[in-house]
């Protein structure tokens, strides 16, 4: 018999402890109806989590719809403004958005695209709405595609994205973000254990 070949252990996705995400979700309650805009892909764990409160969830899934490349184009500003609005879910009820999840999408947008997208989100939101984002800060590289973050039972985040080629990270600073968020301003920021910065923006 041949000698058994040792197999490399399967590397499990790392859990991300995101305290600002946990805080935002903890503030949702069943007493008030909330409109949540999710710029990422729909996931059963996230919908289940938000379903515990009186939330109506609107899904944009910008990465899978090719929205990132289109927003990053050098099209005229008025065309990009219209494009950003069209990439968001149809505003059926007319209710203003209370909370948006950007996940790590802003890392994949050029500065002008961040401004256009956040302006479109702001146009859908009420004054005081909050937006959550994860920004690559310490690391010089990042996966070539945005993550697909889903919450666990203890409100950590698990990235279920298919592994992708590594690309350079823009490493946007808080100062840069603050000048490209339009009517949003940075409310809170935390440096996470994986080198990302976690942000909460508030619409003024």
């Amino acid at each position: 018999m041949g000698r058994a070949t040792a197999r490399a252990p399967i590397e499990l996705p790392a859990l991300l402890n995101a305290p600002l995400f946990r805080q935002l979700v903890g503030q949702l309650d069943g007493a008030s109806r909330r409109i949540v805009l999710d710029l990422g892909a729909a996931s059963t764990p996230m919908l289940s989590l938000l379903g515990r409160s009186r939330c109506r969830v609107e899904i944009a899934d910008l990465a899978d719809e090719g929205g990132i490349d289109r927003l990053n184009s050098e099209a005229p500003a008025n065309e990009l403004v219209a494009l950003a609005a069209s990439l968001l879910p149809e505003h059926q009820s007319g209710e203003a958005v209370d909370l948006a999840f950007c996940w790590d999408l802003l890392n994949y947008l050029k500065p002008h695209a961040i401004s256009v997208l956040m302006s479109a989100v702001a146009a859908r939101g009420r004054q005081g709405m909050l937006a959550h984002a994860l920004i690559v800060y310490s690391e010089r590289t990042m996966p070539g595609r945005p993550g697909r973050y889903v919450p666990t039972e203890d409100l950590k985040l698990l990235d279920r994205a298919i592994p992708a080629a590594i690309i350079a990270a823009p490493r946007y600073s808080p100062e840069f973000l603050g000048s490209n968020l339009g009517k949003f301003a940075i409310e809170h920021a935390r440096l996470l254990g994986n080198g990302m910065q976690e942000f909460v923006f508030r619409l003024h």
Side-chain angles (χ1 to χ4, degrees), residues 1-199:
M1 292 182 61
R3 183 176 300 176
T5 303
R7 294 183 178 181
I10 298 174
E11 185 175 348
L12 298 176
L15 286 174
L16 179 61
N17 184 30
L20 296 182
F21 170 81
R22 187 165 55 248
Q23 179 180 332
L24 286 175
V25 172
Q27 291 172 352
L28 298 173
D29 57 63
S32 303
R33 176 177 168 83
R34 307 293 177 87
I35 309 302
V36 178
L37 174 61
D38 192 333
L39 301 185
S43 75
T44 299
M46 189 64 180
L47 292 174
S48 176
L49 174 62
L50 296 175
R52 299 172 189 173
S53 305
R54 294 182 59 205
C55 293
R56 182 170 66 79
V57 185
E58 300 179 348
I59 305 292
D61 199 0
L62 293 187
D64 270 6
E65 295 301 323
I68 292 176
D69 290 338
R70 295 164 68 190
L71 287 170
N72 281 335
S73 73
E74 300 300 328
N78 63 324
E79 292 184 14
L80 290 176
V81 169
L83 170 62
S86 71
L87 290 172
L88 300 182
E90 186 176 350
H91 212 180
Q92 297 178 351
S93 68
E95 294 177 289
V97 174
D98 297 285
L99 175 61
F101 290 105
C102 304
W103 306 114
D104 62 349
L105 286 167
L106 301 188
N107 296 290
Y108 298 86
L109 294 176
K110 295 178 180 179
H112 72 271
I114 292 177
S115 298
V116 166
L117 175 62
M118 296 309 293
S119 293
V121 172
R124 297 284 292 272
R126 63 168 177 81
Q127 185 176 4
M129 80 163 285
L130 301 175
H132 177 268
L134 298 168
I135 302 296
V136 178
Y137 186 69
S138 297
E139 298 295 327
R140 296 183 178 276
T141 59
M142 65 184 187
R145 289 193 298 266
R148 286 180 174 268
Y149 293 93
V150 299
T152 62
E153 282 298 321
D154 57 354
L155 297 185
K156 291 184 173 65
L157 294 175
L158 181 66
D159 184 2
R160 288 184 174 171
I162 298 173
I166 299 301
I167 62 174
R171 303 174 70 196
Y172 293 138
S173 68
E175 293 75 20
F176 169 86
L177 288 172
S179 63
N180 285 275
L181 294 175
K183 295 182 179 180
F184 283 97
I186 296 173
E187 178 93 345
H188 299 293
R190 292 284 297 269
L191 182 61
L192 304 182
N194 69 344
M196 278 186 162
Q197 278 198 314
E198 184 184 22
F199 287 94

